[in-house]
Every structure is written in structure tokens, then in C-alpha cells.
């Protein structure tokens, strides 16, 4: 790690292991986290990117009930499918683990006990819906009803999908058992509560200097704090989950929201152990200068800007979030991508039908960074064919084939005229612009910066008209092609976080050895170097390849 290198922890919201990943999830948090991490690795920062399958909680217990299998069967199935989907999409985690590991259980119980010992956990009697037919308490997702905040009729006991507010099951109007539809009775049961209310002032002070947060994240957080913080139950009546490390709670489990956020810490610890340096996680978690970034969808904001920071404050000695660049939703045909509603385009299906970099490109271009956005199949074809193939791919193809055919090697740069110098200066400008965009987690802007350089490259190529120039002035033509090759080199570097596989190929077409380095964007290309045989970078998509909807998981 060099002197100026930053230490960055990229935390990605843990996908539930109760369904296959869909493209909405990819655009929402997985891809932005990956693009961000790849950028910081290229510039030489020390990045650790972790996440895993959230295997506990009622979504999986509910799915298991429906299939009449053990919850672990469901979790195992989707952890395997989703791990593969992430590899297929080139999402480069340092560790993608799961909450069912012994390590996670130990770390989660450790945090639980510490908060308990420090007096931040309190026993209280709660009135919980109890289903007489099922003969048990109905924790969050086992009960549905009308949202007390917005009136949405299908709010779940843990959260309303319509207004995003988190809920307690007993707050629902007209509650019903998810399994039988019966109206539950209310019964007393003892639970442990985290004293979240004790952190209201501290959290307000903490967000004071977070001027770099996205407005949606800051507004959501401020509004939550303004409404006042309530203490939250961290245990519930369920057999599936992390056991409570205290006597008298054998039939209860730690509430999933509480242990899942601890996953960022437990995954870092697991990564360190696997890397052979079991204490390495401390460099990220015990150094206040380490920068922690949390990537997630907007429904997850309060857990990452209020609840998890409060838990870390209670624990003490651990680093808090630097930024929480939460995304809005990606819509599909006007409706939110949702696993529970069965809509979406499944990753496993999409990667079989299209180039992974084409999917990454289009998903980045419509990333819901500031408002909801929509996946549109016609637009997907249009953007890939006219931009990725027509602008980026075209500049690569015509530069590389013409140079190889006419010179065989990289021609020297000599006798620069004004537009050559301008084109070279444009590369440096693009590197500055695109760097700033990646740093600010504005990935759509980074992509536009890359494409604008490719566009400028095509304009320069057209103006120089090497097919004519070569007959008039072979040396000037060689210079023009050298400049075009330098633009390609810059494109390979600047686009590497977005379309990593294609960028690596382009880097190789210039005769460069892997890996790509960020400084390479403005580096020299040695005149006289032989150019290897290039190939098509991006495949054109035929309209017939698109059928509305895609297949199921
Ligand atoms: Zn029931
Ligand atoms: Zn609501």
C-alpha cells in the first residue's frame, strides 16, 4: 500500500437467499459497488469488498413452509445460484459469504453480548400477533395487513413496500396470518430490545458533516431522526436464525435485521482468516481513517444510516460509514423489480442471452442514482448497438484494423499539429472527469465521460481521414493513428470498472500486458510495437433476440 493509498471497505447489502437475483438488484447495489471497487483497485487503493447471502429471517422461513422443506434447503439453493450469478456478472467480491457460517454466528453473538453487557439491551414484554390455527407467534413476514402510514393493503409485518417505512407486526391494520389468512390474536411474550432511542442526539451530530451524502439518503435519515427513535426488538419467536447467547431464550432467535448488518464485520473477519492474516480486518474496522461505503437500495437506508451506526456506537471502537450511496429502484415495465411480486429479469437468464458487458453497460447507463429508472428492452438494443457497438466498438475496430493493415506496428508520434495535441489533451481531461465521477459514486456520469471520449476519438479519426492521409503524408497519418491508439488505451483504462472483460481485451489488442493500471490512461505507447490480431469487442444485438419478459429462474 503506497503512502497516499486510501483504505476502503465496500459493503454491499446482503441479498436474501430466498429467490434468484434479478437485474433490479444488480443495478440497485451490486453493480455500483463493483464499479466503485474496481475503480479504487485500479488507482491503487486498498479495497475490501464483502457481502453474502442473508439466510435467516422470515422470507426464507416462509418459503420453506410453502415448499415443506427445512429453511436451510432454500438458503443453500439460492446461495449457490446467486454466488454463480455474481461470478457470471463479473462482480468481484473479495468475499461473498453467508450468514449461516459458524463465524457469523460467533461474531453476531459477540456483538449482541457486548451491547447487553454495556446496558444497551433491555427485556420488555411485547404484545405479538399469535395465530391460533398455526399455534405460534407470527413474526414480521408471517403477518400481512394494511400499512398504518400509507394505507397500502399488502404491507408486511416488518416493512411496507409501498412507503418504505419499517413496521412492527402489531402496528398493521387488519392483520392476517400469511399462511392461513386467519386473524391473529394478540399475546404477551418477552423480548430483548436495543435502546436505539439513546443514540438520537449522537446520530444527529454524526450526520452533521456528511455533506457528501446523496440528498435522498440525507433527507430520509433526517426525517427518521426528526420523528424520534424508538427502541427496537432484537429477538423474536422463531426457530430459524442465530440463537440468543443467554439463558431463558432457547425458543427465540436474534432478529434478522440485527445480525444481518453485523455481517459486514463478520465477513471482514472471515476474509482476514482466509487470507492467512487473521487480524487484517482490524486495518479496516479499527482505523477511523478507513472509508466505509455501503451500497444498497433505498428501502435499506435506515438500517445503514441509523440502526447499524447506532449499534457500532454502542459497541465502540469500530469505524462508522463514510458514505451510503443508496439507489432508488429500477422499474420493469413501470413496476418495481421485486422478487416477492415475481417480476424481474433473472441474472441467470440474462447472462446466457447477452454479453455480460452489454448488460453492465446498459444497467450502468440507467442506474437509479437519483430517481427511479426503467429497464426498457427497445432502449437496451438501441443503446448497445448505437453506443457500445457503434461508437466505442467502431473506434476500436477501425483504428486497430487500419493500423495493422497499413503499418503492422504502432507508428511513431511525430510532428504534432494542433488537432493532434488537442486530442491528446482531451485524454487527460477525460481521465480527470471520469475519475471525479467514480470518486463521487456517480457512475452514470463516469459512463458518459467514457463515451464522450470515444465520440471525440471518432470525430478525430473522421477529420484525419487516414485512408486519404496515408497517400499524401505517411508520417502524419502514422501520428494520427498513434493518437487514436492512445485514445483506445485511455478507453480501456477508464471503462475497465464498467466493462472489465472488454476493457482487458482492448488493453491486450494494444500489445499491453495485464493488468490494467489507472496511470496507463495517459501513458505512452511504444512506437514499433507489433499489434496483435484484434477481434470484435461488442456484439450487435438483433431485435429478434429480445422477447418481452425473459424466462423464470
Ligand atoms: Zn396461521
Ligand atoms: Zn406504507
Amino acid at each position: 500500500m503506497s503512502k497516499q493509498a486510501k483504505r476502503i471497505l465496500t459493503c454491499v447489502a446482503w441479498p436474501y437467499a430466498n429467490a434468484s437475483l434479478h437485474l433490479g438488484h444488480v443495478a440497485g447495489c451490486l453493480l455500483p459497488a463493483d464499479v466503485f471497487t474496481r475503480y479504487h483497485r485500479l488507482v491503487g487503493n486498498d479495497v475490501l469488498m464483502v457481502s453474502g447471502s442473508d439466510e435467516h429471517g422470515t422470507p426464507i422461513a416462509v418459503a420453506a413452509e410453502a415448499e415443506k422443506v427445512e429453511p436451510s434447503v432454500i438458503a443453500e439453493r439460492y446461495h449457490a445460484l446467486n454466488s454463480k450469478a455474481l461470478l457470471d456478472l463479473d462482480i468481484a467480491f473479495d468475499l461473498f459469504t453467508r450468514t449461516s457460517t459458524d463465524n457469523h454466528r460467533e461474531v453476531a453473538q459477540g456483538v449482541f453480548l457486548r451491547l447487553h453487557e454495556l446496558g444497551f439491551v433491555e427485556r420488555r414484554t411485547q404484545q405479538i400477533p399469535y395465530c391460533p390455527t398455526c399455534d405460534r407467534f407470527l413474526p414480521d413476514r408471517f403477518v400481512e395487513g394494511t400499512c398504518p402510514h400509507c394505507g397500502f393493503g399488502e404491507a408486511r409485518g416488518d416493512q411496507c413496500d409501498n412507503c418504505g417505512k419499517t413496521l412492527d407486526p402489531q402496528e398493521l391494520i387488519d392483520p392476517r396470518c400469511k399462511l392461513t389468512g386467519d386473524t391473529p390474536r394478540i399475546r404477551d411474550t418477552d423480548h430483548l430490545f436495543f435502546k436505539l432511542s439513546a443514540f438520537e442526539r449522537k446520530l444527529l451530530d454524526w450526520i452533521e458533516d456528511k455533506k457528501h451524502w446523496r440528498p435522498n439518503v440525507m433527507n430520509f435519515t433526517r426525517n427518521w431522526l426528526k420523528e424520534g427513535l424508538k427502541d427496537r426488538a432484537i429477538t423474536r419467536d422463531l426457530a430459524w436464525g442465530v440463537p440468543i447467547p443467554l439463558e431463558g431464550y432457547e425458543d427465540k432467535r436474534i432478529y434478522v435485521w440485527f445480525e444481518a448488518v453485523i455481517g459486514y464485520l463478520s465477513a471482514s473477519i472471515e476474509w482476514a482468516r482466509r487470507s492467512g492474516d487473521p487480524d487484517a480486518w482490524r486495518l479496516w474496522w479499527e482505523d477511523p481513517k478507513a472509508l466505509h461505503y455501503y451500497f444498497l437500495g433505498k428501502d435499506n437506508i435506515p438500517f445503514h444510516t441509523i440502526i447499524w451506526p447506532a449499534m457500532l456506537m454502542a459497541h465502540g471502537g469500530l469505524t462508522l460509514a463514510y458514505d451510503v450511496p443508496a439507489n432508488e429502484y429500477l422499474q420493469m415495465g413501470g413496476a418495481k423489480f421485486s422478487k416477492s411480486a415475481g417480476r424481474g429479469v433473472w441474472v441467470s437468464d440474462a447472462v446466457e442471452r447477452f454479453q455480460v458487458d452489454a448488460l453492465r453497460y446498459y444497467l450502468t447507463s440507467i442506474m437509479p442514482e437519483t430517481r427511479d429508472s426503467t429497464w426498457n428492452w427497445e432502449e437496451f438494443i438501441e443503446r448497445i448497438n448505437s453506443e457500445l457497438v457503434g461508437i466505442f466498438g467502431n473506434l476500436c475496430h477501425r483504428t486497430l484494423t487500419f493500423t495493422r493493415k497499413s503499418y503492422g506496428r504502432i507508428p511513431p508520434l511525430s510532428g504534432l499539429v494542433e488537432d493532434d495535441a488537442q486530442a491528446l489533451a482531451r485524454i487527460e481531461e477525460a481521465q480527470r472527469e471520469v475519475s471525479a465521477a467514480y470518486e463521487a459514486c456517480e457512475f452514470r456520469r463516469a459512463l458518459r465521460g467514457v463515451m464522450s471520449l470515444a465520440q471525440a476519438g471518432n470525430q478525430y479519426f473522421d477529420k484525419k481521414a487516414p485512408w486519404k492521409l496515408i497517400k499524401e503524408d505517411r508520417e502524419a497519418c502514422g501520428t494520427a493513428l498513434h493518437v487514436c491508439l492512445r485514445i483506445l488505451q485511455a478507453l480501456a483504462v477508464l471503462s475497465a470498472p464498467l466493462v472489465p472483460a472488454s476493457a482487458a481485451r482492448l488493453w491486450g489488442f494494444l500489445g499491453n500486458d495485464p493488468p490494467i493500471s489507472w496511470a496507463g490512461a495517459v501513458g505512452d505507447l511504444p512506437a514499433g510495437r507489433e499489434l496483435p490480431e484484434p477481434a470484435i469487442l461488442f456484439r450487435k444485438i438483433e431485435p429478434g433476440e429480445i422477447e418481452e419478459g425473459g424466462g423464470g429462474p
Side-chain angles (χ1 to χ4, degrees):
M1 188 169 153
S2 76
K3 225 180 9 189
Q4 295 85 14
K6 295 187 241 174
R7 207 179 288 282
I8 293 172
L9 183 69
T10 307
C11 300
V12 191
W14 292 48
Y16 276 129
N18 72 330
S20 291
L21 288 174
H22 55 72
L23 294 179
H25 207 136
V26 177
C29 59
L30 293 160
L31 184 56
D34 183 61
V35 169
F36 174 82
T37 298
R38 285 177 181 276
Y39 164 75
H40 282 286
R41 285 188 189 132
L42 279 175
V43 297
N45 287 328
D46 223 355
V47 198
L48 176 61
M49 171 161 148
V50 294
S51 185
S53 291
D54 184 348
E55 302 191 326
H56 295 137
T58 47
I60 287 151
V62 167
E65 298 274 352
E67 281 193 33
K68 310 247 176 286
V69 294
E70 288 301 312
S72 60
V73 174
I74 307 277
E76 181 66 46
R77 178 195 309 156
Y78 289 108
H79 176 70
L81 279 172
N82 292 342
S83 300
K84 180 179 182 303
L86 293 170
L87 286 178
D88 287 346
L89 275 172
D90 275 341
I91 307 288
F93 279 106
D94 291 291
L95 181 68
F96 186 80
T97 180
R98 50 205 299 187
T99 54
S100 57
T101 62
D102 291 344
N103 171 71
H104 176 73
R105 190 193 63 239
E106 285 159 20
V107 175
Q109 290 180 336
V111 172
F112 184 100
L113 282 176
R114 184 172 167 91
L115 267 49
H116 186 259
E117 279 155 19
L118 291 171
F120 293 113
V121 173
E122 240 175 41
R123 184 191 181 105
R124 286 182 201 170
T125 302
Q126 241 188 328
Q127 285 79 45
I128 297 287
Y130 177 90
C131 177
T133 318
C134 300
D135 188 22
R136 69 167 174 203
F137 287 102
L138 299 177
D140 57 48
R141 291 195 185 205
F142 279 92
V143 52
E144 287 180 342
T146 301
C147 172
H149 302 285
C150 73
F152 180 59
E154 282 153 60
R156 301 185 315 251
D158 58 340
Q159 187 162 42
C160 172
D161 263 346
N162 190 51
C163 69
K165 290 234 167 44
T166 56
L167 299 170
D168 285 324
Q170 58 272 35
E171 290 180 79
L172 292 171
I173 300 162
D174 297 331
R176 54 191 182 270
C177 171
K178 166 105 180 159
L179 300 173
T180 63
D182 288 317
T183 304
R185 292 182 199 144
I186 300 299
R187 268 204 197 176
D188 282 359
T189 176
D190 280 351
H191 280 289
L192 294 171
F193 278 67
F194 172 52
K195 286 157 86 176
L196 183 62
S197 59
F199 295 90
E200 207 171 292
R201 187 70 251 165
K202 274 189 174 172
L203 287 163
L204 278 166
D205 291 344
W206 175 66
I207 63 168
E208 199 54 40
D209 67 349
K210 302 294 181 287
K211 312 278 185 233
H212 52 283
W213 282 14
R214 289 183 179 169
N216 60 336
V217 175
M218 185 50 93
N219 293 339
F220 197 103
T221 305
R222 270 194 207 291
N223 288 338
W224 246 66
L225 288 169
K226 231 191 302 182
E227 283 175 25
L229 293 181
K230 279 187 286 177
D231 298 341
R232 288 179 70 90
I234 57 175
T235 61
R236 58 170 164 188
D237 302 279
L238 195 68
W240 175 240
V242 174
I244 293 152
L246 296 171
E247 262 179 57
Y249 292 89
E250 287 72 17
D251 55 347
K252 299 176 197 271
R253 292 293 178 268
I254 297 180
Y255 216 133
V256 69
W257 64 260
F258 184 89
E259 51 106 346
V261 288
I262 298 172
Y264 302 117
L265 174 62
S266 69
S268 305
I269 292 171
E270 181 184 345
W271 165 83
R273 194 174 295 154
R274 284 170 180 242
S275 77
D277 180 2
D279 280 328
W281 65 273
R282 297 180 193 277
L283 297 171
W284 277 270
W285 282 94
E286 294 181 351
D287 177 0
K289 284 204 292 297
L291 300 173
H292 290 197
Y293 285 78
Y294 290 86
F295 290 86
L296 38 114
K298 63 178 162 189
D299 53 339
N300 242 326
I301 292 173
F303 291 98
H304 294 82
T305 62
I306 293 174
I307 295 168
W308 176 228
M311 289 165 64
L312 289 168
M313 287 172 177
H315 184 282
L318 297 173
T319 306
L320 272 64
Y322 171 73
D323 199 2
V324 184
N327 271 349
E328 304 286 305
Y329 293 138
L330 180 65
Q331 319 264 351
M332 179 77 187
K336 184 189 145 196
F337 271 80
S338 163
K339 283 183 280 196
S340 39
R343 285 186 213 102
V345 178
W346 308 102
V347 173
S348 50
D349 178 51
V351 295
E352 268 175 33
R353 294 161 71 196
F354 306 106
Q355 243 183 311
V356 166
D357 282 346
L359 294 167
R360 292 178 59 113
Y361 178 86
Y362 181 60
L363 284 168
T364 305
S365 78
I366 58 168
M367 232 170 231
E369 290 173 347
T370 53
R371 65 183 72 89
D372 289 356
S373 62
T374 306
W375 174 283
N376 177 301
W377 282 111
E378 285 72 35
E379 191 192 45
F380 171 61
I381 307 182
E382 165 64 22
R383 300 285 297 270
I384 297 309
N385 289 351
S386 72
E387 296 174 15
L388 207 48
V389 176
I391 297 173
F392 193 136
N394 180 42
L395 180 65
C396 298
H397 182 72
R398 57 186 185 157
T399 301
L400 291 167
T401 50
F402 193 85
T403 311
R404 272 190 104 241
K405 187 183 75 184
S406 311
Y407 294 81
R409 296 162 183 276
I410 297 177
L413 194 66
S414 60
L416 290 186
V417 294
E418 203 191 337
D419 52 4
D420 305 327
Q422 271 171 1
L424 290 173
R426 182 72 186 74
I427 293 176
E428 291 184 22
E429 190 191 317
Q431 195 202 25
R432 277 194 302 275
E433 280 171 13
V434 173
S435 288
Y438 284 130
E439 301 267 350
C441 296
E442 292 176 17
F443 308 115
R444 291 171 75 144
R445 180 155 74 91
L447 181 139
R448 284 197 300 274
V450 169
M451 291 312 290
S452 133
L453 178 62
Q455 185 79 276
N458 277 311
Q459 282 160 1
Y460 172 81
F461 191 99
D462 289 338
K463 191 172 167 203
K464 288 290 181 176
W467 59 93
K468 246 171 36 202
L469 187 57
I470 194 162
K471 294 176 200 145
E472 299 152 12
D473 185 341
R474 190 173 165 83
E475 200 179 291
C477 179
T479 294
L481 290 168
H482 187 108
V483 169
C484 288
L485 292 168
R486 289 275 296 273
I487 294 175
L488 295 191
Q489 181 171 251
L491 286 173
V493 176
L494 303 183
S495 72
L498 304 166
V499 288
S502 307
R505 287 174 69 214
L506 176 55
W507 182 255
F509 294 158
L510 298 165
N512 285 326
D513 291 326
I516 294 178
S517 77
W518 195 251
V522 290
D524 273 339
L525 274 173
R529 176 197 277 174
E530 241 181 277
L531 287 172
E533 169 106 41
I536 298 293
L537 269 190
F538 303 109
R539 186 175 68 79
K540 198 169 176 233
I541 302 172
E542 301 303 329
E545 291 180 57
I546 307 293
E547 303 132 50
E548 197 58 51

